[in-house]
Amino acid sequence: MSFTTTIKQRAFKFSPLPLKNLNFPFTFPQLFSSSSRSSIDEESFYTSLLENSTHIIHLSQIHNQLYIHGLQNNGFIITKFIHVSSNLNDINYARQVFDEFPDKYVFLWNAIIKGYSMHNILDKVVEMYSRMQRAFVSPDTFTFPHVLKACGGLRAVGYGRAVHAQIFRHGFEDDVVVQNALLSFYVKCGENYLGRIIFEGLSNRNVVSWTSIISGYAQSGQPMEALRIFRDMRGSDVKPDWIALVSVLKAYSDVEVLSQGRCLHGLAIKIGHEFEPDLQIALTSLYAKCGQLMAAKSLFDQMKSENVILWNAMISGFAKNGHANEALELFTEMISRNIQPDAVTIQSSVLASAQLGSLEQAKWMDNYVDSSKFRDDLIVNTALIDMYAKCGSVESAHKVFNRIAYKDVVVWSAMIMGYGLHGWGREAINLFNEMKDAGVRPNDVTFLGLITACSHSGLVEEGWEFFLSMKDYGVEPHQKHYAGVVDLLGRAGYLEKAHIFITALPVEPGVSVWGALLSACKVHRRVTLGEFAAEKLFTLDPLNTGHYVQLSNLYASARMWDGVAKVRVLMKSKGLNKDLGYSNIEINGKLQTFRIGDKSHPRSDEIYKKLEWLEMRLLDCGFTTDTESALHDLDNEDKEVTLCNHSERLAIAYGLISTSPGTTLRITKNLRACVNCHLATKLISKFVNREIVVRDANRFHHFKDGNCSCGDYW
């Protein structure tokens, strides 16, 4: 039975429905009596009736009356009917009415196209426009904006260009509304060059024109160009709206220019847009990304929104600024409130888990991903590989790697970097060979992982060959690769070669390069070259405490106490303080933190009793304290006491009294492990029959049966 037949049958059987609960402003007997229509035009009567409709039942009854009075083919009324149907969220009813109309003209086509566009059914917009063309109905200025919006949403570049040609053919190349829609289409499809041509050709640029081109550059990773155009906009007579400000704030976030972002915040307040939700989200993202977490959290708390983009801004801000606990607490709160995370949320939370270094947290995160719709997401799984590697379990990282069906270069590189972090050089090289056999071309991250793995394993020749082979794959080395080579040579004692390598670089050596050389000079006690590297670092990065500490340690290892004192005075003059060393240990999924000589723990007496027992066992094994590790001008007895109280030794003692025999102890240290503690931990792992995994500032150490995975090469 056709739609027309159904309507006609309903028309003859029509009886008014009780409408007292539908908020209709009239009663139907009054409305449809002939006397009530005698003095007014029928078109005006029915269009007014449609405008006051608030429920689909109203439309059904009006439609019946149109058939009764022979107005079902009145184009003006049916166009209005389609618009109202769409507004009442019944686009299917609108389409049925449209299809039954015999001779469709442009306004009817526009009505149904607009309806589909309003409901974001973009493929239907394109379909109806194509049918309109085949029906030889010429589009007008109201047709093109909706069609171009659909093309932009579908990224249908080819179809959109054909529509562009139609715009010229029908003479709308000077219509500002159509041109703005065309501009928006190109930038949404990433065709900023073509969008810019449209923009430059506009004789009358309104706020939509400016906002579209700024948004295009901001969203496509060209923040500086977006900001330049915004500056031009501010010089024109067009005032920005909140939509423009959102795009500009994103650009400032990308370049992390907090001062200008704050000025824009002030502008938003001045023009009364500070409470626009999207603008508040953009401001939260700006402050979070620039490290102003208190300001970001204040805005976040004010909004009380369930918008996932807002939560992402805050979680990502915490994670990227090293506040892993806060990021994960927010993620837990998010899912407890049934706010559905997206891929960005998961990636930021996995990053935070990696920073935390807790294997239990890593496993929880992995289980969560496995039970979610992101279990096959390539980017998320790559992040899981990195997370497990940074939480001390290369085996778990490899399990994730193995379950990924399609492995791109990012996946392979993440696993190679994981091996590098743990100093598994041979495994990294073997995986690289598998990668080549799989036909995957390496990128810059792949080679960085390989050089790092070789550096941490003493594979100097192999690492050098990998560096030289980068050009064979068309990969341009960066500062991190150069620093990796300096580290590779320096760790092995080839300090002169490392220095010659630096002087021959095609670019100016950066902080990471000179830092690698200074670190190697400390290991091999090369004071003169170390001083030279330190001077370079003080020029490039004068407020980085780590450089001064490295030089101080170099002087101390050479017993040059005057040099140590000189560095301390220099640090004091610059207002710099040495970072305090600490170690975290994970027990039953919880992290406990210890500092040197720490006695604040509730079980402190037990910890120190176990520490004394460990020291006695070490002495029984013939262990001799390496007092060079103290790096302070103290007498020998004081040095030995200080070394025994190093934070990782306290963490080990706590782990031994808090876990059952055979349990692996996992410790994270913020500084490089000292020689003394490294030697002691090897022996402790043997006589307590435990594996002890320590992540220091440089790499992972797996202590087991009196040996370390680094082979004493770190």
Side-chain angles (χ1 to χ4, degrees):
M1 184 180 296
S2 72
F3 179 64
T4 305
T5 306
T6 304
I7 289 295
K8 288 179 178 178
Q9 289 179 348
R10 288 171 62 190
F12 286 112
K13 295 178 180 178
F14 171 75
S15 61
L17 296 176
L19 299 176
K20 60 182 179 180
N21 295 323
L22 295 179
N23 299 317
F24 206 91
F26 315 106
T27 61
F28 268 56
Q30 293 173 335
L31 287 170
F32 294 132
S33 64
S34 58
S35 61
S36 66
R37 292 199 317 277
S38 58
S39 60
I40 59 174
D41 177 78
E42 284 186 323
E43 283 189 353
S44 299
F45 170 74
Y46 281 106
T47 53
S48 176
L49 198 60
L50 286 165
E51 286 172 355
N52 286 281
S53 299
T54 59
H55 196 282
I56 199 65
I57 293 176
H58 300 157
L59 297 185
S60 178
Q61 296 200 8
I62 293 169
H63 201 190
N64 289 338
Q65 289 297 313
L66 292 177
Y67 269 95
I68 290 172
H69 296 285
L71 297 171
Q72 70 274 16
N73 292 330
N74 182 295
F76 185 79
I77 297 174
I78 295 302
T79 299
K80 186 69 175 179
F81 194 99
I82 292 170
H83 281 305
V84 174
S85 245
S86 300
N87 291 337
L88 293 179
N89 297 318
D90 198 336
I91 187 65
N92 292 328
Y93 193 5
R95 176 62 183 272
Q96 288 174 319
V97 172
F98 172 84
D99 285 343
E100 290 296 329
F101 199 89
D103 187 18
K104 304 172 185 68
Y105 62 110
V106 65
F107 294 120
L108 263 81
W109 286 101
N110 286 349
I112 195 64
I113 286 172
K114 180 183 177 182
Y116 280 126
S117 176
M118 184 173 63
H119 290 279
N120 216 34
I121 308 174
L122 304 182
D123 57 331
K124 288 293 184 182
V125 173
V126 173
E127 176 192 324
M128 296 309 290
Y129 180 71
S130 296
R131 286 184 56 188
M132 180 182 181
Q133 294 291 297
R134 291 195 297 272
F136 299 103
V137 176
S138 295
D140 64 12
T141 186
F142 299 104
T143 316
F144 290 116
H146 298 297
V147 178
L148 288 167
K149 173 194 168 185
C151 292
L154 295 169
R155 302 295 189 269
V157 180
Y159 196 94
R161 284 176 174 168
V163 175
H164 190 174
Q166 290 282 329
I167 290 169
F168 272 97
R169 178 185 170 192
H170 292 284
F172 294 111
E173 62 271 18
D174 294 324
D175 187 288
V176 67
V177 176
V178 174
Q179 291 301 304
N180 281 339
L182 195 56
L183 168 59
S184 178
F185 154 70
Y186 279 122
V187 298
K188 281 181 181 177
C189 292
E191 301 280 348
N192 287 340
Y193 171 72
L194 293 173
R196 186 63 172 269
I197 293 174
I198 301 292
F199 177 77
E200 296 294 348
L202 288 174
S203 57
N204 181 24
R205 297 171 188 162
N206 60 18
V207 68
V208 177
S209 316
W210 287 99
T211 301
S212 293
I213 194 66
I214 291 169
S215 173
Y217 282 114
Q219 297 299 329
S220 63
Q222 295 176 273
M224 296 306 297
E225 190 61 22
L227 294 173
R228 196 193 69 75
I229 295 173
F230 178 66
R231 186 171 63 249
D232 292 344
M233 179 185 185
R234 295 288 287 152
S236 72
D237 58 355
V238 178
K239 303 301 178 186
D241 59 9
W242 67 267
I243 302 173
L245 296 183
V246 167
S247 294
V248 178
L249 279 169
K250 183 188 184 308
Y252 280 131
S253 294
D254 288 345
V255 297
E256 297 187 26
V257 180
L258 180 61
S259 58
Q260 292 300 313
R262 280 179 169 154
C263 291
L264 208 64
H265 190 176
L267 177 62
I269 294 171
K270 182 179 178 180
I271 60 181
H273 292 316
E274 71 269 29
F275 297 116
E276 286 289 345
D278 286 352
L279 191 59
Q280 286 188 306
I281 291 171
L283 284 166
T284 302
S285 180
L286 168 77
Y287 286 123
K289 194 168 184 180
C290 293
Q292 299 295 306
L293 298 175
M294 292 292 289
K297 190 65 162 60
S298 176
L299 284 167
F300 176 84
D301 291 338
Q302 287 175 26
M303 291 191 70
K304 297 183 174 63
S305 170
E306 295 190 353
N307 187 309
V308 69
I309 299 175
L310 175 67
W311 286 80
N312 285 349
M314 204 66 245
I315 292 171
S316 174
F318 276 132
K320 289 179 180 177
N321 286 282
H323 295 264
N325 281 314
E326 290 86 346
L328 292 170
E329 285 172 8
L330 212 55
F331 176 64
T332 303
E333 181 185 347
M334 179 182 181
I335 59 178
S336 70
R337 290 172 57 172
N338 293 320
I339 302 171
Q340 292 301 311
D342 62 13
V344 175
T345 324
I346 303 299
Q347 290 164 36
S348 298
S349 302
V350 172
L351 172 63
S353 299
Q355 292 173 356
L356 201 60
S358 164
L359 187 57
E360 288 299 316
Q361 170 63 32
K363 289 177 179 176
W364 183 91
M365 200 71 226
D366 188 11
N367 289 334
Y368 179 85
V369 171
D370 191 54
S371 62
S372 73
K373 64 182 180 181
F374 304 104
R375 66 188 313 270
D376 297 320
D377 187 290
L378 198 62
I379 298 174
V380 169
N381 277 289
T382 304
L384 288 175
I385 292 171
D386 178 68
M387 175 192 71
Y388 269 129
K390 289 177 178 175
C391 290
S393 181
V394 184
E395 296 80 6
S396 296
H398 202 264
K399 284 180 181 177
V400 177
F401 175 80
N402 284 338
R403 76 187 185 206
I404 299 174
Y406 169 73
K407 298 178 180 69
D408 64 4
V409 64
V410 181
V411 175
W412 288 94
S413 299
M415 194 65 241
I416 289 171
M417 283 293 291
Y419 282 139
L421 186 62
H422 288 260
W424 292 15
R426 292 296 177 192
E427 289 80 358
I429 293 171
N430 292 337
L431 193 64
F432 177 66
N433 290 330
E434 288 181 34
M435 174 182 171
K436 289 194 298 182
D437 291 341
V440 178
R441 190 177 181 84
N443 63 10
D444 59 329
V445 179
T446 317
F447 284 106
L448 180 61
L450 288 165
I451 294 169
T452 302
C454 292
S455 176
H456 287 170
S457 309
L459 302 174
V460 180
E461 291 185 10
E462 292 86 342
W464 179 250
E465 287 300 321
F466 281 125
F467 173 74
L468 294 178
S469 69
M470 290 177 68
K471 63 178 183 297
D472 298 334
Y473 294 94
V475 178
E476 189 72 26
H478 303 301
Q479 290 285 344
K480 288 185 178 180
H481 299 97
Y482 298 137
V485 173
V486 173
D487 190 58
L488 174 81
L489 297 170
R491 283 177 189 269
Y494 300 117
L495 291 166
E496 292 304 329
K497 289 184 177 180
H499 187 211
I500 293 170
F501 174 79
I502 293 173
T503 57
L505 288 179
V507 297
E508 192 67 29
V511 170
S512 59
V513 174
W514 291 114
L517 183 62
L518 177 57
S519 180
C521 288
K522 188 271 168 188
V523 171
H524 297 284
R525 300 178 186 177
R526 292 286 300 275
V527 176
T528 303
L529 187 56
E531 288 175 328
F532 178 76
E535 286 300 323
K536 294 290 186 180
L537 287 166
F538 297 159
T539 302
L540 292 170
D541 194 12
L543 299 180
N544 189 319
T545 305
H547 307 323
Y548 298 90
V549 173
Q550 279 275 51
L551 181 59
S552 177
N553 288 349
L554 171 58
Y555 284 139
S557 67
R559 290 186 170 85
M560 296 174 62
W561 306 117
D562 289 343
V564 172
K566 202 163 51 174
V567 173
R568 288 177 180 170
V569 170
L570 184 60
M571 290 177 67
K572 188 174 181 180
S573 70
K574 294 179 179 293
L576 302 175
N577 294 305
K578 179 183 176 181
D579 293 333
L580 295 175
Y582 64 84
S583 294
N584 292 326
I585 182 168
E586 181 182 4
I587 303 293
N588 298 324
K590 294 183 179 179
L591 294 178
Q592 299 283 340
T593 302
F594 294 92
R595 297 186 183 277
I596 187 169
D598 197 342
K599 293 187 177 180
S600 62
H601 197 277
R603 300 181 68 184
S604 183
D605 290 342
E606 296 176 73
I607 292 169
Y608 276 89
K609 187 175 179 180
K610 177 59 74 173
L611 195 59
E612 289 176 13
W613 178 82
L614 287 172
E615 296 305 323
M616 292 299 296
R617 291 298 306 272
L618 285 170
L619 291 173
D620 291 342
C621 294
F623 173 73
T624 303
T625 302
D626 176 15
T627 52
E628 294 296 339
S629 296
L631 299 182
H632 295 288
D633 189 8
L634 305 172
D635 61 46
N636 282 345
E637 185 179 347
D638 287 341
K639 286 180 183 179
E640 290 186 9
V641 171
T642 301
L643 292 168
C644 292
N645 294 343
H646 273 191
S647 61
E648 58 264 55
R649 302 277 276 278
L650 293 170
I652 290 171
Y654 175 69
L656 292 173
I657 66 173
S658 304
T659 59
S660 57
T663 304
T664 298
L665 302 183
R666 299 183 182 277
I667 297 166
T668 304
K669 182 177 173 63
N670 69 322
L671 303 177
R672 182 180 183 274
C674 72
V675 174
N676 183 74
C677 287
H678 190 270
L679 291 170
T681 306
K682 285 201 297 183
L683 288 172
I684 292 171
S685 72
K686 185 174 183 179
F687 64 69
V688 300
N689 195 26
R690 301 272 195 125
E691 181 178 2
I692 304 173
V693 180
V694 178
R695 173 186 175 184
D696 73 2
N698 290 344
R699 57 166 297 157
F700 274 92
H701 301 264
H702 295 257
F703 299 94
K704 190 174 183 181
D705 298 327
N707 297 303
C708 179
S709 60
C710 74
D712 299 335
Y713 191 84
W714 86 103

